[in-house]
């Protein structure tokens, strides 16, 4: 996914950039970068790989080298960034949360103009460098950002660090969030509002879709009004987001609680305990347990002293080993018991299948799975994921292929819980995973749990309803 943080202050911003960016670490596993600006030293930038270490370990030893009152930081799940450029409107640094579906087309357009790309990595151009080039085509930063909105097919939210301000620009359809925080003598800007409380920022404003603001230590000026149309990613609340964060004023954990409670409605399955699949199933499990009065327990516990988060090892074999080693089953909770497990979603189901097999091996009598969102039937075309989401990888597609004998089937009927085909698909997934029962959230209940109008949410994962 990726996430970013920026701050501009009357005093040094380095401490805030360091910790504020760190609070976005759950959004990316590839690279991180920070840029700080001071009139004396100019732009000071560092980018490190996160594939073998945490953001804090990578940047801590060099923090004393930075000085300045304004800066931005990014946790990137894809390309190295922020990108620093010198343009007709001055020097600036840019960090993005983006997925540019037409990147090849835009690359070709620039190459035909005999322009060059300097930040090649993994055999492709750097998407953030491309965004910097599109911004630089504008007369002003605002028109440059509008140029990005006009040409990028996909998603692009940006933080631009100039010599006298930070410009924050939220994606044209607002698929990813930007939120502004304020404290005495400083402003902050973030993807995750959970970056604010420990840095003493108070939440000031959620940017609307396509809104652009100019931020200084003294205030926040609107450069472009928000658009009416919005397609904020509903999956933020289900899985990506960090529990204390708010998007559009709706708290992630409170939404997960409501999701769990909605799954509990009309569910009469007898069980000895309810459990959340760590980590993002836990909030949903609180809601379910509370609504049904079934005790919340921990059949397995993550070994946090050495596995505080998932690195993304290169090989699938190593990924499977890491996933297994970090969760320790507790036989006293499991043996001979019937458990209801809450998980955010089922993507491929490979890991879940292994977990369920391990639960059975540990003596679990019944494993009932409740999923906080509907079956994922359409791959996301709008955001970058580290979790594989090619359509043929999805558990739903595998199940339908097994039922129909072809991978050419139109999945619209299979997405409709009123259609028998939906139930056949869910049953096929249940069988393949070795579950006692399996139920998914209905889309209308998920939308109710978020509390925003359906037309303001991207729910494309489940109903294929969104567009570029
Ligand atoms: S397709 Fe799914 S993951 Fe992608 S933006 Fe829409 S809701 Fe979010």
């Amino acid at each position: 996914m990726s996430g970013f943080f920026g701050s501009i202050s009357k005093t040094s911003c380095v401490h805030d950039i360091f910790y504020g960016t760190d609070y976005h670490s759950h959004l990316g596993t590839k690279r991180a970068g920070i840029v700080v600006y001071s009139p004396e030293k100019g732009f000071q930038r560092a980018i490190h790989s996160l594939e073998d270490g945490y953001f804090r370990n990578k940047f801590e030893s060099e923090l004393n080298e930075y000085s300045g009152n304004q800066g931005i930081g990014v946790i990137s799940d894809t390309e190295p960034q922020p990108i620093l450029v010198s343009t007709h409107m001055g020097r600036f640094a840019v960090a993005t949360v983006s997925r540019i579906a037409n990147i090849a087309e835009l690359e070709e357009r620039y190459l035909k103009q005999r322009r060059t790309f300097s930040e090649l990595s993994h055999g492709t151009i750097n998407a953030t460098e491309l965004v910097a080039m599109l911004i630089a085509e504008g007369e002003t930063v605002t028109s440059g950002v509008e140029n990005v909105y006009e040409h990028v097919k996909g998603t692009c939210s940006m933080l631009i660090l100039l010599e006298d301000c930070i410009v924050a620009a939220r994606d044209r359809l607002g698929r990813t969030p930007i939120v502004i925080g304020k404290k005495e003598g400083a402003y902050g800007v973030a993807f995750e509002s959970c970056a604010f409380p420990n840095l003493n920022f108070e939440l000031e404003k959620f940017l609307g879709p396509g809104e652009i603001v100019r931020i200084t230590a003294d205030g926040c000026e609107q450069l472009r009004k928000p658009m009416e149309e919005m397609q904020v990613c509903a999956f933020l609340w289900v899985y990506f987001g960090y529990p204390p964060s708010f998007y559009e004023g709706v708290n992630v954990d409170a939404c997960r609680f409501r999701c769990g409670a909605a799954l509990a409605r009309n569910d009469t399955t007898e069980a000895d305990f309810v459990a959340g699949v760590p980590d993002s199933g836990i909030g949903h499990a609180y809601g379910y347990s509370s609504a049904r009065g079934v005790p919340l327990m921990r059949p397995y516990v993550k070994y946090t002293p050495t596995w505080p988060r998932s690195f993304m090892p290169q090989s699938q074999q190593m990924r499977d080993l890491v996933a297994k080693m970090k969760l320790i089953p507790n036989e006293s909770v499991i043996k001979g018991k019937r458990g209801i497990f809450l998980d955010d979603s089922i993507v491929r189901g490979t890991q879940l299948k292994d977990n369920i097999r391990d639960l059975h091996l540990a003596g679990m009598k019944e494993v009932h799975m409740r999923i906080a969102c509907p079956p994922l039937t359409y791959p996301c075309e709008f955001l970058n994921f580290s979790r594989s989401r090619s359509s043929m990888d999805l558990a739903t597609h595998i199940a339908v292929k097994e039922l129909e004998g072809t991978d050419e089937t139109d999945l619209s009927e299979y997405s409709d819980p009123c259609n028998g085909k939906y139930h056949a698909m869910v049953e096929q997934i249940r069988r393949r995973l070795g579950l006692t029962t399996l139920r998914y959230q209905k889309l209308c209940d998920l939308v109710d749990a978020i509390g925003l109008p359906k037309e303001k949410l991207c729910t494309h994962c489940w109903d294929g309803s969104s567009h570029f």
Side-chain angles (χ1 to χ4, degrees):
M1 167 76 96
S2 306
F4 48 41
F5 181 88
S7 178
I8 183 160
S9 171
K10 292 189 190 295
T11 56
S12 172
C13 70
V14 175
H15 169 277
D16 286 356
I17 296 295
F18 178 61
Y19 287 102
T21 306
D22 185 51
Y23 280 130
H24 291 75
S25 294
H26 56 288
L27 291 171
T29 54
K30 293 281 185 336
R31 296 201 173 72
I34 55 179
V35 185
V36 176
Y37 174 81
S38 75
E40 301 75 33
K41 288 180 149 182
F43 290 92
Q44 308 133 64
R45 180 183 74 159
I47 296 175
H48 293 298
S49 167
L50 294 180
E51 287 177 303
D52 57 352
Y54 303 119
F55 173 83
R56 281 208 312 280
N57 303 137
K58 292 292 179 110
F59 287 84
E60 197 153 33
S61 60
E62 59 198 43
L63 271 193
N64 289 337
E65 296 163 24
Y66 299 105
S67 64
N69 295 355
Q70 62 209 62
I72 58 175
V74 61
I75 302 286
S76 174
D77 220 9
T78 47
E79 71 272 23
Q81 47 167 320
I83 295 294
L84 260 173
V85 285
S86 183
T87 72
H88 71 92
M89 50 182 114
R91 291 188 179 151
F92 63 79
V94 57
T96 62
V97 175
S98 70
R99 177 170 186 264
I100 304 180
N102 58 337
I103 193 164
E105 189 188 303
L106 292 170
E107 178 185 9
E108 201 185 320
R109 181 190 125 177
Y110 278 119
L111 294 179
K112 276 190 183 146
Q113 295 169 4
R114 304 190 179 187
R115 307 269 293 274
T116 53
F117 293 91
S118 57
E119 301 271 349
L120 297 181
S121 69
H122 293 96
T124 173
I125 62 164
N126 182 306
T128 302
E129 184 185 18
L130 175 66
V131 169
M133 288 165 82
L134 285 163
I135 295 170
E137 284 185 348
E139 278 302 310
T140 61
V141 175
T142 308
S143 62
V145 170
E146 285 172 333
N147 194 43
V148 176
Y149 291 159
E150 192 182 319
H151 287 94
V152 164
K153 200 173 154 196
T155 318
C156 190
S157 288
M158 298 153 259
L159 289 186
I160 305 161
L161 175 68
L162 293 116
E163 293 183 0
D164 60 349
C165 66
I166 294 173
V167 169
R170 187 175 173 193
D171 171 58
R172 189 173 54 87
L173 289 172
R175 277 186 214 277
T176 55
I178 295 185
V179 55
I180 309 280
K182 183 184 174 187
K183 66 180 171 183
E184 182 68 37
Y187 276 81
V189 54
F191 178 117
E192 291 283 27
S193 64
C194 71
F196 288 152
N198 288 344
L199 300 175
N200 301 320
F201 286 102
E202 290 202 352
L203 210 151
E204 170 86 352
K205 170 183 167 63
F206 295 97
L207 257 60
E211 186 172 0
I212 307 173
V213 292
R214 178 180 185 273
I215 311 163
T216 66
D218 294 312
C220 194
E221 176 199 357
Q222 188 182 63
L223 301 179
R224 186 181 195 258
K225 285 196 167 73
M227 312 281 285
E228 199 42 51
E229 187 182 5
M230 181 163 77
Q231 287 286 284
V232 58
C233 170
F235 221 66
L236 286 166
W237 285 277
V238 174
Y239 168 70
F240 293 126
Y242 215 65
S245 281
F246 290 78
Y247 315 118
E248 314 303 323
V250 179
N251 175 242
V252 172
D253 217 26
C255 173
R256 290 182 185 168
F257 190 93
R258 292 192 291 271
C259 274
L263 278 163
R265 259 195 319 262
N266 306 321
D267 191 350
T268 54
T269 308
E270 293 290 324
D272 300 299
F273 66 81
V274 172
V277 176
D279 289 319
S280 47
I282 289 172
H284 304 291
Y286 276 113
Y288 186 100
S289 159
S290 159
R292 285 205 56 202
V294 181
L296 190 65
M297 298 187 81
R298 293 198 291 173
Y300 38 50
V301 182
K302 192 185 269 188
Y303 191 72
T304 49
T306 51
W307 301 109
R309 60 162 256 196
S310 305
F311 284 119
M312 205 49 79
Q314 292 306 307
S315 76
Q316 185 60 46
Q317 202 183 11
M318 194 59 195
R319 281 201 287 274
D320 293 345
L321 182 70
V322 167
K324 181 177 172 62
M325 297 314 281
K326 71 181 178 187
L327 287 182
I328 305 177
N330 183 350
E331 208 184 278
S332 86
V333 177
I334 292 171
K335 204 162 189 157
K337 299 287 183 8
R338 302 159 304 170
I340 296 176
F341 290 78
L342 277 286
D343 206 351
D344 57 85
S345 58
I346 299 177
V347 183
R348 289 182 303 159
T350 324
Q351 191 52 53
L352 191 57
K353 189 175 176 184
D354 291 348
N355 288 348
I356 295 159
R357 188 203 51 219
D358 290 347
L359 285 168
H360 284 304
L361 286 175
M364 189 99 204
K365 207 164 116 195
E366 293 175 9
V367 183
H368 304 276
M369 190 61 65
R370 302 293 177 259
I371 305 298
C373 65
L376 297 167
T377 38
Y378 297 85
C380 177
E381 297 164 40
F382 314 109
L383 308 175
N384 274 317
F385 295 104
S386 48
R387 286 220 249 174
S388 170
R389 300 280 300 264
S390 117
S391 63
M392 295 329 295
D393 278 347
L394 293 172
T396 49
H397 285 247
I398 296 167
V400 171
K401 189 178 177 188
E402 285 164 356
L403 290 168
E404 300 272 357
T406 167
D407 49 23
E408 301 293 314
T409 313
D410 170 12
L411 261 73
S412 52
E413 287 177 320
Y414 283 95
S415 315
D416 175 6
C418 298
N419 192 306
K421 289 193 170 186
Y422 169 94
H423 297 283
M425 176 186 74
V426 172
E427 173 58 13
Q428 189 72 7
I429 298 170
R430 181 200 70 74
R431 257 204 305 265
R432 203 164 63 81
L433 297 181
L435 291 162
T436 315
T437 65
L438 169 64
R439 273 185 216 156
Y440 286 89
Q441 188 84 273
K442 286 195 185 129
L443 187 54
C444 56
D445 288 338
L446 172 59
V447 170
D448 282 353
I450 295 171
L452 296 176
K454 161 88 169 70
E455 66 275 12
K456 298 276 181 196
L457 292 166
C458 176
T459 56
H460 186 86
C461 285
W462 308 292
D463 60 5
S465 62
S466 200
H467 57 87
F468 281 116

